Amino acid sequence: MKKIMLYQHGGSYNHGCEALATTISAEVLKNIKNAQVYLCSHHADQDKQYNIKSIHKIIQNTRWLRRGTLGYFVYQIDRRTFNSKRIQDKFEIDKPCIEMSKDMDCCIAIGGDNYCYNKGKIYWPTERVIKKSGKKMMLWGCSVEPEELSGELAEHLQLFDAITVRDSITYEAFIKNGFKGKVHLVADPAFLLEKEELPLPENWKEGQMVGINLSPMILNYTKNKEQVVKSIYALIDYILNETDMNVVLVPHVRLSYTDDMDTLRPIFEQYKHTNRVLLLDDYSLSCKQLKGYIARCRFFIGARTHSIVAAYSTGVPALALGYSVKSKGIARDIFGNEENLVLPVQTFNDPKATIEGFKYLIEHEEEIKNRLNSFMPEYKKKAEISGKVLKELVGE
């Protein structure tokens, strides 16, 4: 029996993370006979709430380093002077993750965008310790900003025995930085996520809903937060005044420090009197259930990558409010070009931009739907490549 550990998991209130843990663990079981999958999570209570059946055991991951301890002061002094990896690897590790890894046949980093923020340095000490113990390591379905990859990040990622990336922009960057033979181009595993359909809420117009997701995180990547928010209000005004469609606001991350509800609730309060704007305000909704709602939208506009993945994978024309390589890369790989399908918020300066993007979806609705419906079956097979890579790595 093979034991496989998944780590770098932030908790299932981020339903993109939940989708990754769900689909990756299922792919592990499909490819490795008699495997058991263990999940090392920063919010184990959340994961247990959603009952991911393909995971054998979930453990709570915690940082060993605590403010005020002797180790904390040693680490802080070292960080400001020698910046020694040896000190970091002693004090700045995820201790439960290290302990669990000792009994594993392979340790899988749930890639996603974890290396897009400060190059994922928070994981480096733990990964160095795991590698020193001789464990096989795999990075599954990641995106990385090309300009961030060279140098120290590329050096660190060479620790992995196998890497799969979920977009061609990231893949080309890995190839340029010396990973040929180790890196594989795949699709995001969440394209394989099944949808679960629940009863529709009151005022849901079947076939005439526009789903909207807006996150606090995306506002941190734009020079003009107010402009982005205004553009969403302008879009909803346009939908209500110029079409007979209704709107559903879809939170896809419910973590306290980056809760989509913080941006969506004020919007709902502004429009709830119309009875044409709905809000999915329910902590119990899983990633499969949220995908079930997104799948029944006619159009979707979203900031969270996995809300867009849910739309694409169910044939719903979507506009990504993008801020990183993942949005551009995934759209480019599906449509050949991300133009008109990804709205970069970093340079956002036109409050009517979302309206124009929405008009493009309407004007090209059949073309986009036909592309998604014809392309998805083969594209989803690319998401299964990671499982085959793991199978070869562990010698099954």
Side-chain angles (χ1 to χ4, degrees):
M1 181 181 66
K2 300 288 187 182
K3 292 184 177 181
I4 309 296
M5 180 181 80
L6 309 183
Y7 70 101
Q8 288 190 0
H9 178 67
S12 288
Y13 280 1
N14 181 328
H15 292 294
C17 292
E18 181 200 358
L20 294 180
T22 300
T23 51
I24 292 174
S25 57
E27 285 297 292
V28 170
L29 295 183
K30 188 171 77 173
N31 285 276
I32 310 298
K33 294 179 182 178
N34 301 317
Q36 287 186 341
V37 182
Y38 295 75
L39 179 66
C40 190
S41 173
H42 287 287
H43 295 283
D45 55 330
Q46 298 174 10
D47 305 306
K48 291 171 183 176
Q49 176 180 336
Y50 295 107
N51 189 25
I52 303 174
K53 295 180 180 178
S54 46
I55 292 174
H56 176 70
K57 184 178 181 179
I58 302 170
I59 69 157
Q60 176 64 44
N61 194 18
T62 53
R63 303 288 288 172
W64 188 29
L65 205 61
R66 288 289 182 268
R67 185 179 296 274
T69 63
L70 176 61
Y72 179 82
F73 287 113
V74 172
Y75 165 70
Q76 290 296 336
I77 292 170
D78 173 75
R79 189 170 67 88
R80 289 166 171 77
T81 52
F82 305 107
N83 196 26
S84 164
K85 290 181 181 179
R86 185 176 178 182
I87 296 295
Q88 292 172 27
D89 293 354
K90 182 173 180 60
F91 292 110
E92 200 190 15
I93 59 170
D94 294 322
K95 199 168 184 180
C97 187
I98 297 295
E99 290 301 314
M100 176 180 273
S101 71
K102 293 176 181 178
D103 195 34
M104 295 294 125
D105 294 288
C106 186
C107 301
I108 298 174
I110 299 177
D113 56 8
N114 284 331
Y115 294 97
C116 291
Y117 310 110
N118 193 30
K119 302 180 182 180
K121 287 185 177 181
I122 189 173
Y123 306 110
W124 291 14
T126 297
E127 287 166 342
R128 288 195 293 260
V129 174
I130 292 175
K131 188 63 178 180
K132 285 177 184 175
S133 71
K135 296 298 177 181
K136 292 180 179 178
M137 298 175 64
M138 179 175 174
L139 173 55
W140 191 306
C142 71
S143 293
V144 178
E145 296 288 349
E147 62 272 17
E148 294 286 315
L149 183 55
S150 60
E152 61 177 352
L153 179 54
E155 180 184 353
H156 175 76
L157 294 180
Q158 286 288 357
L159 293 178
F160 289 96
D161 300 289
I163 298 171
T164 60
V165 300
R166 60 182 176 175
D167 69 89
S168 58
I169 298 175
T170 297
Y171 178 75
E172 290 165 7
F174 268 96
I175 295 298
K176 288 179 181 177
N177 283 277
F179 286 83
K180 188 174 182 180
K182 180 178 285 191
V183 67
H184 308 264
L185 178 60
V186 300
D188 189 293
F191 278 95
L192 299 173
L193 184 73
E194 297 177 356
K195 65 180 179 178
E196 180 183 339
E197 295 189 349
L198 298 175
L200 294 171
E202 187 179 359
N203 297 321
W204 183 289
K205 294 181 71 174
E206 190 75 67
Q208 289 290 84
M209 297 299 297
V210 180
I212 295 178
N213 164 261
L214 185 64
S215 72
M217 177 175 284
I218 199 173
L219 299 180
N220 294 330
Y221 285 84
T222 180
K223 296 177 181 178
N224 194 332
K225 298 181 181 181
E226 186 178 345
Q227 197 79 285
V228 174
V229 175
K230 281 184 177 179
S231 75
I232 298 298
Y233 282 100
L235 172 62
I236 295 175
D237 286 338
Y238 178 85
I239 294 169
L240 298 184
N241 294 329
E242 304 297 331
T243 80
D244 60 356
M245 289 180 264
N246 286 359
V247 173
V248 58
L249 304 174
V250 184
H252 212 262
V253 173
R254 299 302 312 270
L255 296 169
S256 59
Y257 55 89
T258 178
D259 190 344
D260 291 353
M261 200 63 73
D262 292 341
T263 55
L264 294 176
R265 192 181 298 283
I267 297 173
F268 174 68
E269 292 298 329
Q270 177 77 17
Y271 293 100
K272 66 180 181 180
H273 69 280
T274 66
N275 292 321
R276 292 180 60 191
V277 176
L278 291 66
L279 176 65
L280 298 181
D281 184 9
D282 186 349
Y283 264 110
S284 71
L285 293 175
S286 69
C287 58
K288 292 181 180 181
Q289 292 165 342
L290 287 168
K291 186 169 186 172
Y293 285 116
I294 292 171
R296 285 179 282 182
C297 292
R298 181 177 172 185
F299 302 105
F300 192 81
I301 294 92
R304 298 288 187 181
T305 299
H306 283 102
S307 70
I308 293 294
V309 168
Y312 288 160
S313 60
T314 53
V316 177
L319 174 67
L321 303 178
Y323 56 88
S324 69
V325 62
K326 54 188 178 180
S327 300
K328 294 184 290 184
I330 293 172
R332 184 181 300 181
D333 290 348
I334 294 173
F335 298 99
N337 192 316
E338 67 271 26
E339 187 176 357
N340 297 314
L341 296 169
V342 177
L343 185 60
V345 296
Q346 296 94 324
T347 55
F348 205 98
N349 54 20
D350 182 0
K352 294 183 179 180
T354 50
I355 295 177
E356 295 305 313
F358 178 63
K359 287 181 178 179
Y360 182 88
L361 294 183
I362 294 176
E363 292 167 6
H364 297 84
E365 179 179 7
E366 289 306 313
E367 175 188 340
I368 295 171
K369 287 176 67 175
N370 289 339
R371 173 62 177 175
L372 290 172
N373 291 332
S374 63
F375 190 77
M376 272 303 124
E378 284 301 313
Y379 187 68
K380 288 179 180 179
K381 290 181 182 179
K382 291 181 68 175
E384 298 176 339
I385 294 174
S386 293
K388 296 178 175 65
V389 172
L390 173 67
K391 185 175 182 177
E392 183 176 345
L393 178 61
V394 300
E396 278 287 308

